[in-house]
Amino acid sequence: MRISYIKILRDLGSDYAKNSMLVLSIAIGLFGVGCILGSYSVLNREMTSNYTSTLPASATIELDDSIPRSLIDSVKRLPGIKEADRRATLLARMKVNGRWYPLLLFVMDRFDNLRISKFHPVSGATEPTLGTMLVERTALSMMAAQEGALITIKTQQGSPKSVHITGTVHDPALAPAWQEQAGYGYISLETLHWLGETQSFNQLKIQVASEVDSVPGITRQAQTVSAWLAKKGYKVGEIQVPPPNRHPHQSQMSSIMTIFIVFSYLILFLGSILVATSVATLMVKQVRQIGVMKTIGATSGQLARLYLFMTLVLCVVALVIGIPLSRIAASVLYTRIANLLNLELTDTHIPNWVPLLQILTGILIPLLVVAFPVIRGSRLPVRQALDNYGVSQSGQTGSTWLTQLLSIRFLGETVLLSLRNVFRQRTRLTMTLSLLAAGGALFMTALNLSSAWDTNLQRIYTQRLYDLEIRLTHPAQVEEAIAQLKKQPSVHQLEAGYVAPASITRSGSFAVTHTYPDKGHGSFTIQALPVPTKLLNPTLTAGHWLQSQAANDVVLNQLARKKEQKIGDQLILTIGGKPTTWRIVGFTEDVGSPATAYVSAEVFLKIIPPIERTTMLRMAFSSRDRAYVKPKINEVENQLEQTGIAVRSSVPVWLLHNAIAAHMRILVNSLLAMALLMALVGTLGLLSTMSLNVLERTREIGVMRAIGATPSRIRRLVVWEGLAIGGISLIPGFILSLLLSTYLGRFIGHLAFRTPLSLTISPLACAIWVCIVVMGSYLATLYPAQRANRLTTREALAYE
C-alpha cells in the first residue's frame, strides 16, 4: 500500500488553498489551547511563588492594647509558633489633583530583615525616615506622582501634612492600587505619630509551625495564642485568618482561566469538525477511486488508514505552526495579566507538559472526529462506489416544510435552486451550521456578558441613592458636620448612620474573620442605618427590609449569608469583642459591598459604645451626573476640612464603580478575543463547505452552462447558497448564546458578587454578528464562485 500513501500526499498537494485552510483551522485551536495553558501554568506558579515570597502571616491577632517588643519575643517561644511580628494598619487619605483618595498605611516595626508579611524593595530608600514613606509600585499611578515627590496625607486624628516619597516596593499580597482606587504606603511608627496619630502597634502577626495549610488548624493555634494573651492582661479584639498561602485573587484567576481553556478546546473541536467535513467530501469526490481500490483488493481498514494518515499530516503541520505562535501569545497574555494582578514574573518558563498536551490533543481530537466519516466512507460497497455520479440526491427526500419552502415562487428560481443545494448534503450542512452557530454564540455571549456586567454595575447607583459617603473620626462632631453640610445648596439629602467591623463567626472565645491584610478582601462589616432609610435601595431576595427602629433585626447581604441560614434564625455578631444577638429578617443582593449586616441605628447605639463605631454621613446631590458631582465633592471636603471636622474616609459612589469595573475588564476582553477566533473558524468552515459543494457539483454546473446559464447566474447561485447557510446559522447561534450567557452570567456573577448577572441581550452584539455572518458568507463564496466560473463547459462536463 506504499503507493496509496504517495497518492494521499499528492492529494494534499493538489489543493493548497483548501488544505492550508484546514491546517489553519486546527492551528487556531492549538494556538488557543497553548496560549491559555501556557499562560495559566506560568501565572499559577508565579502567583503562588509571589505570594509565598512575602512569607504571609498565618493569622493576625488585633489587640486593643499596644504591643511591646518584648511580647513578640515571648510569642515566638510559644509551642507551635514559627515566627511573630507586630504591625499596625490604618486607613488615611491622600490628596491627588485637588481631591482626596483612600490611602492604606502599613506601619512597620522595622524594615530590615523582615521575616513575616514582607515586601520587596524596588527602588530608592529601603527604610523611610521621619516624615517619609515607601509606596507600593502600583500606587504611583494612583498618586499621580513619582519617587521623590511630595504628597499630602491626612490621618484620622492628624492634620494634612506633606510626606516625601523616598522609595518604592513590591507587595504581591496586595491587589494593584488602580483596581482598589486607593494608595498603599509604608511608614515607621515615628512618622505615624508625626502625622498626628497616637496609636501604637496593635496587630500581632504569627506564622504557625504545623498545619500551615489548614484554616481550622491555624484558627486553633491563633485562639491558643489569644487565650495566652488574655491571661497576660491583653484584650483581643479579633482574629483574622485569611485562606492560607492563597493570593486574594487566586480562585478568580483559576476559574477564569478554566473557562478559557474549555473554550480553547471547543475551538479545536470545531476546527476538527471542519477537517472531518473536508475529508468526508474528498472521499465523496474520490468515491470511484475507492471503488476501484476495493475492486483490486483494498480493505475498508486500509482505506480508512489512508485518510486518517492525511489528517495526521494536516495535524503535524498545524502543530508546527500553532505551538511556536501560542508560546509567543502566552508570553504577551501572562505578562499583561501579571501586571493586572501585581505579580513579578521571576520564571517565565512554560512547563513541558503544555506542548506535550498540545501535541496529544492536537492529534487525538482531530483523528477521533475524522474517524466517523472516514469509517463510514471506507465501508461503501464496491458497486455503489462505482455507480456514483457525484450528485447527491439526499436533498430530494421530502420533508413537508422544505417542500413548501421550495414552492414559494416569488423567491426566484436562483434563490430556490440555492436553497435546494443548501439541504442537499444534510450532514455537511449540520457541521457547517455547528461551526457558525458556535462562533456566533460565543461572540454574542461575550458582548452580552459585557453588557450584563455594565448593567449590574449600574445597580451600584440604583441601590445607592447617595453620591458620597463620608466617615468621621470623632462621633462628637457629627452634629457640627451635618450643620455644615446643610449649608451646601448642592446637598439634596443627608443621612447619618454607623459602621463597625464585625464577625459573623464565633469559634471558641474569640471572634474569627477571614480578612486579608488589605482590610478589604474577606472583610465583614455591620452598618447601622436609620429606619426607614431614604438613601439605600436594597435588592431584597427573601424576607423584608428593616421595619422597626427598636427591634434587634438584621438583614444580610449575599456575601454575609451562610447557606444554612434562613429567615427567623438567631445570629450572633461580635462587634468590638462584644457578642450581640440579632434576628434575621431578610436577605439582599448588594453590588460592590463586602459582607455586610444591616441593623437599626437606634438599637446599634444602645449596644455598641462610641469607641467601637464609626459615624458615616451619606449625601445625595441635586444631580447624579459625574461632571456635576466631582467638584461638589471637593467643595464638601474642603468645607469640612476648613471647619476642623476630622474625616476618616471619603468614598464617592463613582470611585466605587470604577474600582469594581477594573476587576473584570480583562475577562470580557479575553472572551471577545476567543469569540473572534471562533468566528474565524466558522467563516473558514463556510468557505470549506461552499468550496466542497461547488466541487461536488462541477458536472452539474457544466450542464447548467451548456444549457445557457451565464457566469453571473452561476455566481449568484453560489453566493445565495452561502448567504442562506449563514442566515440559517443565526437562529441556533442566537439560542445557544442565550444558554451560554445565562450559564456564564451565573458563573461570573457568583465569582464577582456572589450573585448571578442578569441575562442581558445586547442588540449591538446581534447586529454586529449579523453583519459578520453576511460579510463572511459573501466573502466565503467569492473563491468557490470564481472557481466555478473559471472552468470551461467542456472541463466541467468531463470532470470525474
Side-chain angles (χ1 to χ4, degrees):
M1 295 295 293
R2 184 175 302 172
I3 189 66
S4 301
Y5 286 100
I6 296 176
K7 169 196 175 303
I8 290 298
L9 293 176
R10 288 178 177 173
D11 287 340
L12 286 171
S14 63
D15 193 341
Y16 289 109
K18 180 199 71 175
N19 292 324
S20 297
M21 179 183 61
L22 298 179
V23 168
L24 179 61
S25 65
I26 299 178
I28 289 174
L30 291 171
F31 170 82
V33 170
C35 176
I36 301 302
L37 283 178
S39 301
Y40 176 76
S41 62
V42 172
L43 289 171
N44 194 50
R45 180 184 65 228
E46 291 300 299
M47 180 176 282
T48 301
S49 64
N50 270 242
Y51 186 67
T52 55
S53 71
T54 66
L55 305 177
S58 305
T60 299
I61 303 174
E62 290 205 347
L63 305 178
D64 293 343
D65 312 285
S66 297
I67 302 174
R69 183 168 294 179
S70 59
L71 181 65
I72 301 300
D73 297 330
S74 299
V75 171
K76 290 181 181 180
R77 292 193 291 267
L78 292 177
I81 299 300
K82 179 182 178 182
E83 191 60 65
D85 198 2
R86 58 178 185 169
R87 303 282 173 84
T89 303
L90 72 155
L91 183 64
R93 297 194 298 160
M94 60 182 184
K95 200 166 192 178
V96 179
N97 296 329
R99 79 162 313 273
W100 293 100
Y101 286 86
L103 172 66
L104 196 60
L105 288 177
F106 299 96
V107 186
M108 314 294 293
D109 186 13
R110 54 181 65 180
F111 286 81
D112 59 322
N113 196 25
L114 294 174
R115 297 180 180 274
I116 187 171
S117 297
K118 61 185 293 187
F119 46 81
H120 311 293
V122 174
S123 64
T126 57
E127 182 170 350
T129 57
L130 180 64
T132 69
M133 73 173 179
L134 309 180
V135 299
E136 214 286 326
R137 61 182 188 177
T138 61
L140 289 175
S141 59
M142 277 299 301
M143 295 175 174
Q146 298 294 328
E147 185 180 315
L150 288 173
I151 184 167
T152 302
I153 292 178
K154 185 181 183 303
T155 59
Q156 300 172 22
Q157 306 287 343
S159 57
K161 289 192 175 183
S162 295
V163 178
H164 190 204
I165 301 174
T166 57
T168 59
V169 301
H170 174 221
D171 193 341
L174 298 175
W178 57 266
Q179 278 190 4
E180 304 300 321
Q181 293 289 293
Y184 303 126
Y186 302 81
I187 61 175
S188 64
L189 185 63
E190 292 75 18
T191 299
L192 180 66
H193 293 162
W194 174 75
L195 289 171
E197 295 294 316
T198 58
Q199 78 168 74
S200 185
F201 298 110
N202 64 345
Q203 292 179 331
L204 174 63
K205 292 184 174 293
I206 61 172
Q207 280 183 341
V208 298
S210 60
E211 297 185 280
V212 294
D213 293 323
S214 169
V215 172
I218 295 172
T219 302
R220 284 193 299 270
Q221 187 63 54
Q223 287 176 339
T224 300
V225 174
S226 299
W228 179 84
L229 290 170
K231 289 181 180 179
K232 292 284 186 180
Y234 294 94
K235 185 179 179 181
V236 176
E238 181 181 89
I239 300 174
Q240 299 165 3
V241 184
N245 294 319
R246 286 185 65 82
H247 190 278
H249 292 162
Q250 185 104 28
S251 59
Q252 290 92 329
M253 191 273 292
S254 298
S255 300
I256 291 171
M257 296 303 281
T258 299
I259 292 178
F260 291 155
I261 291 171
V262 171
F263 282 139
S264 297
Y265 274 107
L266 182 57
I267 294 174
L268 178 59
F269 180 72
L270 294 178
S272 301
I273 291 178
L274 178 58
V275 175
T277 304
S278 178
V279 173
T281 306
L282 180 62
M283 294 183 73
V284 171
K285 173 187 173 183
Q286 297 181 352
V287 67
R288 289 191 174 186
Q289 298 179 27
I290 293 174
V292 171
M293 286 189 285
K294 279 200 166 187
T295 301
I296 61 176
T299 64
S300 298
Q302 289 173 324
L303 292 173
R305 286 195 295 272
L306 285 179
Y307 291 98
L308 290 176
F309 174 72
M310 172 185 287
T311 305
L312 178 62
V313 173
L314 295 174
C315 292
V316 171
V317 177
L319 286 167
V320 172
I321 297 173
I323 290 179
L325 291 179
S326 69
R327 295 178 77 89
I328 296 173
S331 67
V332 175
L333 182 60
Y334 64 61
T335 300
R336 182 171 181 184
I337 296 180
N339 291 333
L340 292 175
L341 295 175
N342 193 24
L343 303 179
E344 184 71 29
L345 297 176
T346 58
D347 180 9
T348 58
H349 171 70
I350 296 176
N352 293 330
W353 62 265
V354 173
L356 289 176
L357 189 60
Q358 279 182 276
I359 294 171
L360 179 64
T361 56
I363 292 177
L364 190 59
I365 292 178
L367 286 179
L368 288 176
V369 175
V370 170
F372 291 99
V374 165
I375 293 174
R376 185 178 64 246
S378 63
R379 289 180 176 177
L380 195 67
V382 175
R383 180 178 178 81
Q384 183 178 346
L386 293 176
D387 287 345
N388 182 271
Y389 288 94
V391 180
S392 171
Q393 302 297 325
S394 61
Q396 306 302 324
T397 58
S399 88
T400 304
W401 69 270
L402 183 58
T403 302
Q404 292 176 350
L405 176 64
L406 298 180
S407 64
I408 302 176
R409 290 300 170 189
F410 71 83
L411 293 177
E413 294 181 358
T414 302
V415 175
L416 290 175
L417 183 57
S418 298
L419 291 175
R420 290 190 183 99
N421 291 335
V422 166
F423 293 98
R424 183 174 279 181
Q425 288 287 352
R426 307 258 178 108
T427 302
R428 187 184 308 153
L429 174 64
T430 301
M431 290 184 175
T432 306
L433 291 178
S434 299
L435 286 169
L436 288 172
L442 187 54
F443 182 87
M444 288 185 282
T445 296
L447 291 183
N448 285 346
L449 287 177
S450 178
S451 180
W453 180 260
D454 291 338
T455 301
N456 214 48
L457 286 182
Q458 285 302 118
R459 293 173 65 192
I460 291 177
Y461 294 101
T462 58
Q463 291 177 345
R464 295 164 178 80
L465 304 181
Y466 57 91
D467 299 298
L468 176 65
E469 178 182 291
I470 289 178
R471 298 185 181 183
L472 303 179
T473 302
H474 304 299
Q477 293 182 320
V478 62
E479 296 298 334
E480 183 183 357
I482 291 175
Q484 291 293 331
L485 292 173
K486 285 183 177 180
K487 295 178 182 179
Q488 286 284 339
S490 59
V491 177
H492 175 67
Q493 205 160 15
L494 186 65
E495 195 171 88
Y498 306 91
V499 64
S503 170
I504 200 171
T505 304
R506 280 185 56 82
S507 180
S509 303
F510 305 98
V512 179
T513 65
H514 301 289
T515 310
Y516 277 89
D518 62 3
K519 296 288 188 176
H521 293 83
S523 64
F524 185 94
T525 59
I526 185 169
Q527 286 191 15
L529 307 175
V531 179
T533 177
K534 297 180 180 180
L535 294 182
L536 194 66
N537 181 31
T539 303
L540 286 168
T541 57
H544 61 80
W545 184 245
L546 301 173
Q547 296 176 346
S548 172
Q549 296 179 351
N552 282 47
D553 293 339
V554 63
V555 176
L556 301 176
N557 71 0
Q558 75 279 7
L559 291 173
R561 181 181 182 179
K562 304 293 183 183
K563 290 182 180 179
E564 66 276 6
Q565 290 172 337
K566 58 184 183 297
I567 302 297
D569 285 353
Q570 295 294 317
L571 177 67
I572 298 178
L573 294 176
T574 302
I575 308 168
K578 178 182 179 181
T580 59
T581 303
W582 308 83
R583 184 175 66 93
I584 299 175
V585 297
F587 299 106
T588 68
E589 285 183 354
D590 294 344
V591 178
S593 297
T596 305
Y598 299 98
V599 300
S600 164
E602 184 175 322
V603 176
F604 184 81
L605 289 174
K606 294 177 181 178
I607 298 176
I608 306 302
I611 193 173
E612 301 294 346
R613 63 182 186 243
T614 301
T615 303
M616 64 180 181
L617 298 176
R618 288 173 170 172
M619 63 202 73
F621 294 103
S622 304
S623 171
R624 304 208 73 179
D625 183 74
R626 188 178 298 185
Y628 175 84
V629 167
K630 278 189 174 183
K632 299 304 178 183
I633 290 176
N634 290 340
E635 291 178 11
V636 166
E637 292 176 339
N638 291 335
Q639 182 175 358
L640 293 178
E641 184 178 342
Q642 290 170 5
T643 53
I645 296 174
V647 175
R648 182 175 185 176
S649 66
S650 171
V651 181
V653 173
W654 65 262
L655 189 69
L656 177 65
H657 177 278
N658 288 356
I660 298 173
H663 279 70
M664 287 289 172
R665 186 183 305 159
I666 188 172
L667 170 63
V668 176
N669 292 342
S670 300
L671 275 176
L672 190 57
M674 285 285 180
L676 292 175
L677 287 179
M678 293 194 74
L680 178 58
V681 173
T683 304
L684 290 176
L686 181 59
L687 173 60
S688 173
T689 295
M690 293 307 304
S691 298
L692 298 173
N693 285 352
V694 171
L695 181 68
E696 190 179 55
R697 297 198 305 274
T698 299
R699 297 177 73 182
E700 179 182 336
I701 292 173
V703 172
M704 295 174 64
R705 294 278 293 275
I707 60 176
T710 62
S712 61
R713 184 75 173 268
I714 299 297
R715 184 183 301 108
R716 288 199 302 272
L717 180 69
V718 176
V719 169
W720 275 113
E721 183 177 345
L723 291 175
I725 294 175
I728 294 171
S729 74
L730 293 174
I731 299 174
F734 179 75
I735 295 173
L736 185 57
S737 73
L738 294 181
L739 298 176
L740 276 176
S741 297
T742 301
Y743 171 76
L744 288 179
R746 290 177 179 175
F747 178 84
I748 295 171
H750 181 80
L751 196 66
F753 308 114
R754 200 77 63 82
T755 182
L757 298 179
S758 58
L759 177 61
T760 303
I761 300 174
S762 170
L764 179 63
C766 298
I768 292 177
W769 182 248
V770 169
C771 293
I772 290 176
V773 167
V774 172
M775 291 300 298
S777 300
Y778 178 75
L779 294 175
T781 58
L782 291 182
Y783 172 74
Q786 183 182 7
R787 184 184 184 281
N789 282 323
R790 196 164 47 234
L791 291 173
T792 64
T793 303
R794 180 182 179 281
E795 290 173 333
L797 292 173
Y799 182 81
E800 290 290 342

